[in-house]
Amino acid sequence: MRTQVAIIGGGPAGLLLSHLLHRRGIDSVVLESRDRDYVEHRQRAGMLEQGTTDVLRESGAGERLDREGLVHRGLELRFGGAGHRVPLTGLTGRTVTVYAQTEIVKDLVARRLADGGDVRFEAEAVALDASAPSVTFRSGGRIRRLECDYIAACDGFHGVGRAAVPGLRTFEREYPFAWLGILADVPPSTDELIYAHHDRGFALHSLRSPRVSRLYLQVPPEEDLAAWPDARIWDELAARFATDDGWELREGPITDRSITPMRSFVAEPLRHDRLFLAGDAGHIVPPTGAKGLNLAVSDVTVLARAFAERYASGSHTLLDGYSDACLRRVWRAEHFSYWMTTLLHTDPAATGFEHRLQRSHLEYVASSEAAQTSLAENYTGLPLA
């Protein structure tokens, strides 16, 4: 087998890259280790920056996003029994949109298959060669080899792509807490996201649709999911979201629950020879800043432009600059995600002095237009490189 760009990973990064390359007349093959049903139904949150929605629309993959996405022009910081709205659009002129990664994947799979794209499910990449580029993969009980000009590893944190890059420098931070996330069949109790700081821990009220709510609780990283029956989850959420004016949280049947650890991670560089890392293969952010999916979209947008230049003119300028261009945005997002995480979560090891500093910082952000503008600029997304 042969193609121009071999893409490992059929998540939003790999599928979007394949779609963007197709629109530029560049052939690709997507190798995804899981089956299609799993890929299209694994639950992932989705808070899209303005730039991400622009990329999807301009590529022709935003029709259902425009129809079903929930546009947000602000968010609420809640602490001390009161809410404080940050007017994202008023401060930046930009919006964010809630649209689950699950739905983006469904849209992109449908688009690639309708365009005749080669997306191979249950095709597990087991080895790759970045110099004489090829990917060895297992499919249908057979071992096959895909030769190519370039390899894009969009295969996540545990994939084979990053392991194939020699001499990587890695930077990592583990956080002393995790998120217990739930999906519930109940209309959201809010029109905009609520980020709540409480002495008992952080809580987030998000929205999946007009009929489905997505909520999160800070828990210890070693927490047992079995220790959280429905009643305990709802009681704890209500306590952390409580306000002095009697705001009420709607409750409903919980249909999905999971515990997600919190980590910051960056690998440098994002390129080795003809292998390029994109998305979670190269970097992880804690979810507080809503940057994971958006960084992946940024990576593959930059990479698609670089491949287009290479095939159109023979120039390697953008390919050679890919890692530096992406890492500048990655580190900005890493800092913002770290800032949001430490601003809002309760650190079990923090001293009383540190707790008072955190509360002072929250009060400053809630009262300062300059601080809110910085938050809004980063939350809605800086311009793509």
Side-chain angles (χ1 to χ4, degrees):
M1 296 174 58
R2 198 177 202 297
T3 189
Q4 290 174 295
V5 180
I7 300 172
I8 310 173
L15 291 167
L16 179 59
L17 177 59
S18 180
H19 174 59
L20 294 175
L21 293 178
H22 168 72
R23 289 175 58 83
R24 291 165 168 83
I26 301 169
D27 292 331
S28 67
V29 174
V30 178
L31 303 174
E32 165 56 46
S33 62
R34 302 281 193 163
D35 62 44
R36 180 177 177 179
D37 183 70
Y38 178 90
V39 169
E40 292 189 335
H41 291 90
R42 54 186 167 192
Q43 294 297 326
R44 298 288 188 275
M47 175 60 72
L48 311 186
E49 296 175 354
Q50 180 75 61
T52 296
T53 57
D54 290 344
V55 167
L56 291 170
R57 290 188 185 110
E58 291 165 7
S59 74
E63 181 180 348
R64 196 158 69 93
L65 162 66
D66 284 335
R67 188 170 64 248
E68 300 179 13
L70 303 177
V71 177
H72 290 255
R73 294 174 173 82
L75 60 80
E76 180 182 321
L77 300 179
R78 185 175 291 188
F79 60 92
H84 309 270
R85 185 175 187 268
V86 178
L88 301 173
T89 304
L91 293 168
T92 67
R94 301 193 294 272
T95 63
V96 293
T97 302
V98 174
Y99 190 66
Q101 288 191 39
T102 311
E103 306 310 314
I104 293 175
V105 168
K106 290 177 183 176
D107 295 344
L108 290 170
V109 167
R111 176 53 64 95
R112 291 304 299 122
L113 296 181
D115 290 340
D118 195 342
V119 180
R120 301 189 175 220
F121 297 101
E122 299 181 86
E124 180 186 7
V126 295
L128 56 87
D129 186 335
S131 300
S134 66
V135 180
T136 302
F137 66 98
R138 182 184 295 110
S139 179
R142 297 175 55 197
I143 296 295
R144 305 189 66 180
R145 186 164 176 260
L146 173 62
E147 297 180 347
C148 52
D149 299 332
Y150 298 98
I151 303 169
C154 307
D155 52 344
F157 186 75
H158 299 290
V160 300
R162 189 174 67 254
V165 180
L168 269 181
R169 295 184 67 197
T170 59
F171 306 85
E172 187 168 11
R173 179 187 179 92
E174 297 280 350
Y175 295 88
F177 33 74
W179 275 12
L180 191 167
I182 66 167
L183 274 176
D185 284 340
V186 58
S189 306
T190 176
D191 294 326
E192 297 178 338
L193 273 71
I194 302 172
Y195 286 80
H197 168 78
H198 194 278
D199 290 344
R200 297 166 69 148
F202 168 77
L204 171 62
H205 191 322
S206 184
L207 305 82
R208 176 56 61 87
S209 77
R211 296 173 299 280
V212 178
S213 298
R214 182 76 163 163
L215 302 105
Y216 300 90
L217 284 168
Q218 175 188 340
V219 297
E222 69 279 2
E223 192 66 89
D224 182 3
L225 198 58
W228 287 87
D230 290 14
R232 184 186 179 192
I233 291 174
W234 289 117
D235 287 348
E236 192 63 27
L237 285 167
R240 297 187 193 184
F241 285 124
T243 61
D244 295 338
D245 62 6
W247 183 90
E248 293 187 3
L249 176 68
R250 295 172 179 167
E251 300 181 11
I254 296 175
T255 59
D256 184 78
R257 72 192 75 202
S258 62
I259 292 180
T260 304
M262 306 280 279
R263 173 191 287 120
S264 297
F265 176 87
V266 180
E268 295 184 357
L270 298 177
R271 177 192 181 177
H272 169 61
D273 208 340
R274 298 195 175 200
L275 167 66
F276 298 82
L277 306 180
D280 288 357
H283 40 78
I284 297 286
V285 290
T288 325
K291 293 298 161 206
L293 172 61
N294 295 292
L295 282 179
V297 170
S298 175
D299 287 350
V300 300
T301 302
V302 172
L303 190 54
R305 291 172 182 167
F307 283 141
E309 178 191 65
R310 159 68 180 84
Y311 285 111
S313 68
S315 171
H316 292 78
T317 300
L318 292 181
L319 286 176
D320 291 342
Y322 167 76
S323 181
D324 288 344
C326 290
L327 285 171
R328 283 193 294 272
R329 187 181 187 87
V330 166
W331 279 113
R332 175 85 298 276
E334 289 284 353
H335 179 263
F336 176 68
S337 300
Y338 163 83
W339 179 78
M340 285 282 284
T341 300
T342 54
L343 176 70
L344 292 162
H345 288 71
T346 301
D347 187 341
T351 65
F353 177 79
E354 290 166 329
H355 283 306
R356 294 299 291 268
L357 287 179
Q358 184 184 35
R359 178 60 177 266
S360 175
H361 196 174
L362 279 164
E363 291 172 349
Y364 171 66
V365 173
S367 61
S368 166
E369 183 175 328
Q372 290 187 15
T373 300
S374 178
L375 188 160
E377 284 180 345
N378 284 273
Y379 196 85
T380 59
L382 301 175
L384 292 177

